[in-house]
Amino acid sequence: MASAAKKEGITALSITLAMASKRRLAAGREWRKEGRCGAFVAAVLALAALAACGRPARNVLLITVDTLRADRLSCYGYAHNQTPSIDALAARGVAFDRAFCDVTWTTPSMASVFTGRYVVHHGLRMSSQRLEETQTLAKTLRGWGYTTAAVIGSFPVDSSFGLSQGFDLYDEAFNTSVVKDEDPARLSGELPPEANEIAQRNWLMLRRMARAYRPDDQVAARAIRWLTAERREPFFLWVHFFGPHEKMYVHLSFKQHLERNLAEYDRDVSIVDAQVGALLRGLDDNGLASRTLVILHADHGQELFEHRYVGHGRDLYDATLHIPLIIADPSSGARGTHVGSFARNIDLFPTVMDLLDLPSPADVDGHSVALAVRHPWLARLRGMKQGETYAETHLSATSIFRERMLLDGREYSFGFVRRGVRSTDWKYVESEPVPLVDDPAQAPLPSALVERKRRRELYDLRRDPTEMRDVSAANPEVVTMLREKLAGYTRAVHNAPAAPLDEASAERLRALGYVE
């Protein structure tokens, strides 16, 4: 029995090493074919393949911090907010300066992470949909013998959206109100029967909102308990923190609400940083740090009034599209390094598989950026800072972002579907007026309104990184090129199946700003 098990283990190791060597040799052939390397780089690749031999099976910890901007972390250069725990993680690994999501709000962005596919292909783009059964990162790793667990911080990644596929444990115990200026005690028990209909409806809405998320310290404590008492190795653990996501204040004016959320953003980043630190200490305390691949990222960023808006999901500006991405691989010699390699949320799936020396499914849209993690200087030589991502949001076509226009004596309500391409130097965005997607009874918009409100924008990110000046008129050739790329991304669009929200779920998403 022991001899058979040993033989089976040796066979599995041989297969894994053979696959790793095959991939690296294929990479070497590709470089030579492109004329970008000679015998020296080929030799380096061969040495890298040899260095990878004998690696033990490793664990994976994926940390998602909701609504986290890269430029509010000290390790990304922010001087006014200390994030010692995330900084320490970056000192152990590689921080990507050019990392982007493909959707600027939580649910579809995380579907892209776990499928390795753009939203146009996995199809989950609205909160009224559910990710259909598909190959996910958790399913794939479970197929390779990994124990899979998730500890979730807020309702937009609830299992009802299909994101729990492949997880042995999906802990989603939400217990906290996202409404911060309402007494929770007032929401217990039952309202007096003499309360009028409006009071009863508002009370019920606030009570449902009271279970929208779980505080970061509780998320960390539950994850540490799993690491300490429940884990089986190798494991894949996903920990999702609510982090600096905006909160709701029902008794403040609109202006006061914005000011409060702006004022609290840095404080909330510091709070989640402390809990990331507690989680990483839990990894150390259990003797797991030396054999665990740790990835920290955000599902999307946050606009902090750069374009007169506080929030996310409405636009495709870099304030919400750009994300932090830190990868600490204990087997890599790279430490405390920043890389300019272009990376996307859809790249996480194939990158994890590559760093584990396991094959990735063939139908993912993402590409591994493991080379930048293991050998940053080779990534620079390879030219990996060049790249592009597709991006879209349909949240801007819902009632919460409703716009109105009077045409021929009739008022029309509409929203915008925004789609774009973000390259290293340019961003091109098309905003298409559409009937509100959460109002199925709405009639099509007249062509005159569509033509008048349709927008095509181009930003030169080298000269205008804050995206304040549309330069499409001055660069028609760039517009033409990026329009063709955009058409390619949207040629085969898939829609996930509908999964209508019950009223309690709708209230939770309403509190979080995702439905009206």
Side-chain angles (χ1 to χ4, degrees), residues 100-114:
F100 304 93
C101 59
D102 70 325
V103 190
T104 54
W105 63 287
T106 302
T107 313
S109 177
M110 290 311 303
S112 299
V113 168
F114 285 130

Side-chain angles (χ1 to χ4, degrees), residues 427-441:
K427 183 185 289 179
Y428 173 70
V429 177
E430 294 186 355
S431 297
E432 187 74 14
V434 296
L436 297 171
V437 296
D438 52 353
D439 183 2

Side-chain angles (χ1 to χ4, degrees), residues 423-471:
S423 69
T424 308
D425 299 325
W426 299 94
K427 183 185 289 179
Y428 173 70
V429 177
E430 294 186 355
S431 297
E432 187 74 14
V434 296
L436 297 171
V437 296
D438 52 353
D439 183 2
Q442 198 173 359
L445 300 177
S447 57
L449 184 152
V450 172
E451 289 301 319
R452 190 177 303 179
K453 290 294 184 177
R454 178 186 285 136
R455 295 203 300 273
R456 305 283 186 264
E457 299 164 272
L458 178 71
Y459 297 99
D460 183 344
L461 301 173
R462 298 161 300 182
R463 296 180 175 87
D464 179 26
T466 56
E467 301 164 275
M468 293 296 180
R469 298 183 299 278
D470 174 16
V471 294

Side-chain angles (χ1 to χ4, degrees), residues 161-232:
F161 299 112
L163 298 175
S164 59
Q165 295 178 42
F167 285 101
D168 300 313
L169 170 72
Y170 204 79
D171 190 302
E172 49 187 349
F174 314 125
N175 55 22
T176 303
S177 176
V178 76
V179 180
K180 292 300 159 189
D181 57 350
E182 183 61 59
D183 180 9
R186 195 177 75 82
L187 305 176
S188 60
E190 300 292 334
L191 270 183
E194 62 270 18
N196 63 38
E197 182 181 349
I198 293 176
Q200 290 182 13
R201 187 166 61 247
N202 289 340
W203 176 84
L204 183 60
M205 177 188 72
L206 291 170
R207 187 174 183 180
R208 286 168 173 165
M209 289 177 177
R211 293 182 297 277
Y213 79 102
R214 171 165 42 176
D216 294 338
D217 60 341
Q218 294 182 23
V219 171
R222 179 65 185 97
I224 293 168
R225 190 164 77 249
W226 186 88
L227 287 169
T228 303
E230 302 171 41
R231 77 176 194 274
R232 293 195 311 275

Side-chain angles (χ1 to χ4, degrees), residues 13-14 16-25 44-58 329-333 353-358 370 374-375:
L13 177 62
S14 299
T16 299
L17 293 177
M19 288 189 299
S21 297
K22 184 178 179 181
R23 285 200 303 275
R24 289 184 174 88
L25 289 172
V44 170
L45 286 172
L47 288 172
L50 288 173
C53 294
R55 283 188 182 138
R58 283 176 292 145
D329 179 359
S331 67
S332 169
M353 301 304 292
D354 199 3
L355 290 172
L356 296 176
D357 286 326
L358 295 173
R374 286 175 169 157
H375 309 289

Side-chain angles (χ1 to χ4, degrees), residues 301-320:
Q302 180 81 331
E303 285 189 59
L304 296 175
F305 215 63
E306 289 90 346
H307 294 87
R308 303 186 62 80
Y309 173 60
V310 176
H312 52 271
R314 187 190 72 169
D315 303 308
L316 298 179
Y317 296 116
D318 269 9
T320 51

